[in-house]
Amino acid sequence: MVTKLKEVDAVIVGLGWTGGILAKELTEAGLKVVALERGGMRSTDKDFAVPGIRDELRFVNRQDLMMNTARDTLTIRNNPSQEALPMRRLGSFLPGDGVGGSGVHWSGHTWRWTDMEFKVRSMYEERYGKNFIPADMTIQDWGITYAEIEPYYDRFEYTAAISGKAGNIKGQIQPGGNPFEAPRAREYPLPPLATILSSEMFDKAARNTGYHPFPRPTANASRAYTNPDGAKFGACQYCGFCGRFGCEANAKGSAHMTVIPIAMRNPNFELREHCWVTKVLKDSDGKRVTGVTYTNILNGDEFEQPAGIVMLCAYAINNVHLMLLSGIGEPYDPVTQKGVIGKNYCYQTGAGATLFFEGRHFNPFMSAGGSNVTMDDFNTNWDFDRGPHGFVGGYNVGAGFNTPLPLSFRPLPRGTPQWGKAWKTATAKWWGSAMNIGSSGSVMANRYNYYDLDPTYKNAFGLPMMRMTFDYKENEHKLGRHAAEIVNSIAKSMNPTHLNEASARTEPWSVVPYQSTHNTGGTIMGTDPKTSAVNKYLQSWDCHNLFCVGANVFPHNSSYNPTGPVGALTYWTADAIKRYVKNPGPMVPA
Amino acid sequence: MNRMIHILAAIAVVAVPVAALADGDVARGEQKFGDCAACHSVETGVNNVGPSLHAVFGRKAGDLVDFRYSPALKRSGITWTTQTLDQFIADPQKVVPANRMPYGGMTDAGDRADLIAYLQKASK
């Protein structure tokens, strides 16, 4: 039996960064808001205090902060000719679970994506001609501009305590920052983190080669900070346990210690934990949604929560899944290329080298999530001519340490025995004397990379699982080979004792080893309802009181981490919803 | 043995800050408290990541019944005074090894004097 509850102004599905920001903004605007979160409440003092948080077995191997694949998972395949099989254990990506979402266990890297992404098709076509973009590469412009969302990037950076160095303030290039970034109105709220030896050595080598390295902007507070909302941050302690862990010092910008506690103090807000949303309900004419149904996963009770506005703020994959389960919008079909829901699923690629320096001590156990120096010479640098290399997109190159785990981080020269005395000797010798140079590369949308509902497998609620069809295409192979070549040339210039060279990912994508929790697309934004699921305000083209918020709206994936534009677009959407409630209806004419 | 060395080292630095402690700047100390404020409150009964600092002076370390302290701090035998707090804040892990406060320390004696002057006022 489904219990029908009293209607509220708005319901939020999932309480991480996006849900938290919207909960705070909309309750302050006077709306009665209920958030439904599939996991439980989390707080720094109860859940992330030392020594309990220093538990690699619990948080890495047993994935304590991540989604439970025994309840729901995805089926995975590389291309439409294969049979997809369920992913029984998380590997390649790690969606979070519980209040704060993946913003609890992230490392904090926060970037501003530029018009090179938002106008990807028009800029490449204009410079390289229409034929440069392969026929099966379904990239498209996003329908927004950098200038429109610049103030919202700023808002998110000051909320999440980003430490960094501006490279371009109002068109003036700043020494020490990224000269290829788009103009920003002002500096980061906090100066960069302290440097570490590995990033200093990379910085020197890259500079000597003529590149432009800079400290990576990251939500690890370089000193104590109070954000504009009054949330208090401690200074990062460089503890070495950042990605996959919560922060014990309140130094990592996370929704559970910023926007969410502010919303929770507001009488207009109610959080319901352990509530699994199963469907978004449409009204009879299909022009509006009327609320959601959900199951209390502690006892199985089912509810209908009517709401004036529904905001999908779950992990990017789950937002798309809910759209497909609810029958909102036309599902994408890769054969006819009709439909939009599930379209343009993208991921990331990369290539990395490990450098071994006999006698050097990198002390990897002392690092922040963003202890890293990066260069964008082959990324946001539009002057880098992609023509001779034949790929669309770019990659950033960086070095430093992010969570080099005591047990799992085992840098060893290639050819070292994988067990026994020789392995132990080499492990002891190299653990502190090795560093990585990594690159993170964009993935352009492709006709055959998409999501749909699995025809065979069902989750614990009896609903079809999400099916992910993904592989790297020739564009990414070319980009990866170029990245590997550049990484190796910088690495060799540093004269390491041993070098494990970087190589491009050209084998079929595997869901097993961890790669990146940067899954994008599926309900993409755009200017035309025929080719996008939501408009520039992340408002559904089909149902005007439904907003899909998160990286699921990205029409393709860049080399950068997604949280910067996710945060910015959430503040942008919050402002749009405040206008919407005064004058409900489609905010962009279809 | 190790602990003895730490305690001796801590005692050795007492002479220097005492003079500075007398003339701490409360307003500057309030700003320095920003380093602590993400975890500590001076309000009575408000325990967060760290215990409330209300009425901290004269209290035994690890004494609040409603806060879960590290075993190291509980058995430290410290009573909080301007001197012991000054030594502790300078290098918490040196004075009480294995305590679980995630803070590297405030190295400048003048900063600590200001902070303690503020705490003396605010913790009452």
Side-chain angles (χ1 to χ4, degrees):
Chain A
M1 198 194 101
V2 179
T3 307
K4 189 166 179 176
L5 302 166
K6 203 169 149 245
E7 178 164 347
V8 292
D9 295 333
V11 67
I12 290 175
V13 181
L15 196 64
W17 262 128
T18 60
I21 289 169
L22 287 164
K24 174 189 169 290
E25 292 295 311
L26 298 180
T27 50
E28 284 176 356
L31 270 66
K32 297 268 185 209
V33 178
V34 166
L36 303 170
E37 165 55 46
R38 67 179 176 178
M41 186 57 199
R42 289 220 175 87
S43 67
T44 303
D45 57 325
K46 291 188 180 65
D47 299 290
F48 308 140
V50 277
I53 195 65
R54 298 273 193 280
D55 190 338
E56 188 175 339
L57 180 67
R58 174 178 166 193
F59 291 103
V60 178
N61 300 68
R62 293 178 181 157
Q63 306 174 330
D64 193 76
L65 299 175
M66 315 306 172
M67 68 177 255
N68 177 357
T69 54
R71 195 173 282 137
D72 188 26
T73 186
L74 293 87
T75 66
I76 306 281
R77 60 182 181 174
N78 284 127
N79 61 64
S81 71
Q82 295 174 333
E83 186 189 346
L85 294 171
M87 170 179 69
R88 306 279 179 182
R89 185 183 155 75
L90 295 175
S92 188
F93 47 85
L94 301 169
D97 192 292
V99 169
S102 301
V104 163
H105 72 80
W106 71 320
S107 299
H109 308 172
T110 301
W111 299 101
R112 291 184 172 203
W113 298 28
T114 70
D115 283 336
M116 278 177 60
E117 316 301 338
F118 304 150
K119 299 177 182 175
V120 63
R121 181 166 281 274
S122 47
M123 282 179 75
Y124 277 87
E125 281 187 353
E126 190 189 333
R127 175 159 177 185
Y128 298 105
K130 280 194 184 335
N131 292 335
F132 190 71
I133 300 173
D136 63 352
M137 187 185 283
T138 50
I139 53 173
Q140 62 190 53
D141 289 4
W142 293 34
I144 48 163
T145 65
Y146 175 81
E148 280 178 303
I149 68 159
E150 196 282 335
Y152 298 92
Y153 277 130
D154 182 278
R155 183 100 186 263
F156 183 67
E157 287 166 359
Y158 274 71
T159 300
I162 309 302
S163 301
K165 178 77 194 87
N168 182 340
I169 298 179
K170 297 177 181 167
Q172 298 290 314
I173 301 300
Q174 307 291 313
N178 177 9
F180 306 116
E181 74 171 355
R184 55 176 62 243
R186 55 174 173 166
E187 251 301 352
Y188 285 101
L190 290 166
L193 294 163
T195 57
I196 57 176
L197 178 62
S198 52
S199 61
E200 285 170 7
M201 285 169 59
F202 171 77
D203 183 276
K204 194 172 158 208
R207 227 169 269 286
N208 284 343
T209 318
Y211 301 133
H212 301 81
F214 59 92
R216 176 168 291 216
T218 186
N220 315 131
S222 56
R223 59 186 187 214
Y225 173 70
T226 303
N227 82 6
D229 301 323
K232 289 178 166 48
F233 289 71
C236 175
Q237 301 296 308
Y238 303 90
C239 74
F241 288 77
C242 199
R244 307 191 192 187
F245 298 86
C247 178
E248 81 264 16
N250 273 338
K252 176 161 67 174
S254 303
H256 81 278
M257 46 78 64
T258 53
V259 285
I260 293 171
I262 297 171
M264 289 184 74
R265 286 195 292 271
N266 192 316
N268 287 337
F269 181 69
E270 184 193 345
L271 163 66
R272 292 185 204 142
E273 303 164 58
H274 307 292
C275 294
W276 190 289
V277 174
T278 45
K279 194 174 186 181
V280 182
L281 304 166
K282 282 193 289 192
D283 71 1
S284 51
D285 68 359
K287 301 261 191 264
R288 295 178 80 258
V289 294
T290 58
V292 299
T293 53
Y294 70 89
T295 302
N296 178 335
I297 55 176
L298 300 181
N299 59 15
D301 287 351
E302 291 178 278
F303 298 91
E304 179 184 337
Q305 176 62 64
I309 299 172
V310 174
M311 292 167 273
L312 302 185
C313 297
Y315 189 73
I317 297 170
N318 302 323
N319 286 343
V320 184
H321 193 204
L322 261 179
M323 291 290 275
L324 288 167
L325 290 173
S326 309
I328 299 170
E330 190 184 344
Y332 172 70
D333 179 343
V335 177
T336 62
Q337 291 192 269
K338 290 212 168 70
V340 289
I341 309 298
K343 184 184 167 185
N344 282 18
Y345 168 68
C346 289
Y347 198 45
Q348 281 174 331
T349 186
T354 308
L355 295 73
F356 301 85
F357 291 90
E358 193 146 15
R360 300 307 295 261
H361 298 286
F362 291 107
N363 294 347
F365 47 85
M366 284 180 71
S367 59
S371 289
N372 188 297
V373 161
T374 305
M375 58 181 231
D376 266 350
D377 295 73
F378 303 100
N379 188 28
T380 50
N381 176 15
W382 188 240
D383 288 339
F384 162 53
D385 186 2
R386 275 87 169 160
H389 311 293
F391 63 81
V392 175
Y395 59 90
N396 65 71
V397 181
F401 288 103
N402 171 11
T403 316
L405 295 159
L407 303 179
S408 316
F409 177 63
R410 284 288 176 271
L412 290 168
R414 278 194 190 119
T416 303
Q418 297 196 4
W419 57 280
K421 198 176 174 207
W423 177 83
K424 286 181 187 167
T425 308
T427 291
K429 177 172 179 177
W430 294 116
W431 191 83
S433 299
M435 61 171 277
N436 296 313
I437 300 178
S439 64
S440 167
S442 60
V443 167
M444 293 299 124
N446 184 278
R447 176 180 176 177
Y448 297 107
N449 287 338
Y450 68 105
Y451 299 110
D452 62 356
L453 293 178
D454 192 275
T456 309
Y457 295 96
K458 290 186 166 46
N459 66 17
F461 303 89
L463 300 166
M465 282 182 193
M466 182 77 126
R467 178 166 67 177
M468 174 186 282
T469 305
F470 177 75
D471 207 353
Y472 297 117
K473 307 298 181 189
E474 188 53 31
N475 187 70
E476 285 66 51
H477 297 171
K478 287 180 189 167
L479 181 148
R481 282 194 284 268
H482 194 270
E485 202 177 295
I486 296 296
V487 167
N488 290 332
S489 73
I490 298 171
K492 284 173 189 163
S493 79
M494 293 167 72
N495 291 315
T497 317
H498 297 285
L499 172 64
N500 290 351
E501 288 197 26
S503 58
R505 289 182 201 162
T506 52
E507 298 292 307
W509 171 69
S510 161
V511 76
V512 177
Y514 182 75
Q515 286 155 76
S516 141
T517 307
H518 304 155
N519 314 81
T520 64
T523 61
I524 63 178
M525 63 193 296
T527 53
D528 182 351
K530 287 197 188 67
T531 55
S532 57
V534 298
N535 65 26
K536 68 191 286 189
Y537 302 111
L538 317 194
Q539 178 185 39
S540 162
W541 288 114
D542 294 275
C543 301
H544 62 77
N545 60 340
L546 172 66
F547 293 81
C548 299
V549 192
N552 41 287
V553 305
F554 297 2
H556 72 277
N557 207 344
S558 88
S559 84
Y560 280 159
N561 309 56
T563 312
V566 166
L569 286 172
T570 307
Y571 277 115
W572 160 263
T573 296
D575 275 4
I577 295 174
K578 288 175 201 170
R579 294 195 300 275
Y580 171 86
V581 292
K582 290 181 189 135
N583 183 19
M587 300 184 76
V588 178
Chain B
M1 188 59 206
N2 253 345
R3 184 171 300 149
M4 273 311 287
I5 292 168
H6 288 306
I7 291 167
L8 289 174
I11 291 166
V13 298
V14 168
V16 185
V18 167
L21 284 174
D23 44 60
D25 178 332
V26 173
R28 241 190 120 253
E30 187 170 5
Q31 287 175 7
K32 284 282 129 196
F33 187 69
D35 277 19
C36 322
C39 303
H40 288 286
S41 167
V42 291
E43 301 296 314
T44 181
V46 180
N47 296 325
N48 191 342
V49 183
S52 165
L53 298 178
H54 179 74
V56 64
F57 292 97
R59 189 203 292 163
K60 275 186 70 185
D63 216 29
L64 291 180
V65 289
D66 51 354
F67 186 79
R68 185 175 152 251
Y69 293 92
S70 59
L73 198 78
K74 277 203 257 190
R75 62 171 178 249
S76 68
I78 291 174
T79 297
W80 296 120
T81 63
T82 54
Q83 280 78 20
T84 54
L85 208 53
D86 181 68
Q87 290 154 18
F88 183 67
I89 295 165
D91 191 345
Q93 284 303 327
K94 186 173 168 186
V95 177
V96 184
N99 86 75
R100 58 188 197 98
M101 179 165 76
Y103 182 62
M106 191 177 284
T107 48
D108 186 275
D111 288 347
R112 296 197 303 275
D114 295 340
L115 173 67
I116 288 166
Y118 165 73
L119 277 179
Q120 281 183 300
K121 185 161 176 279
S123 66
K124 278 178 186 160

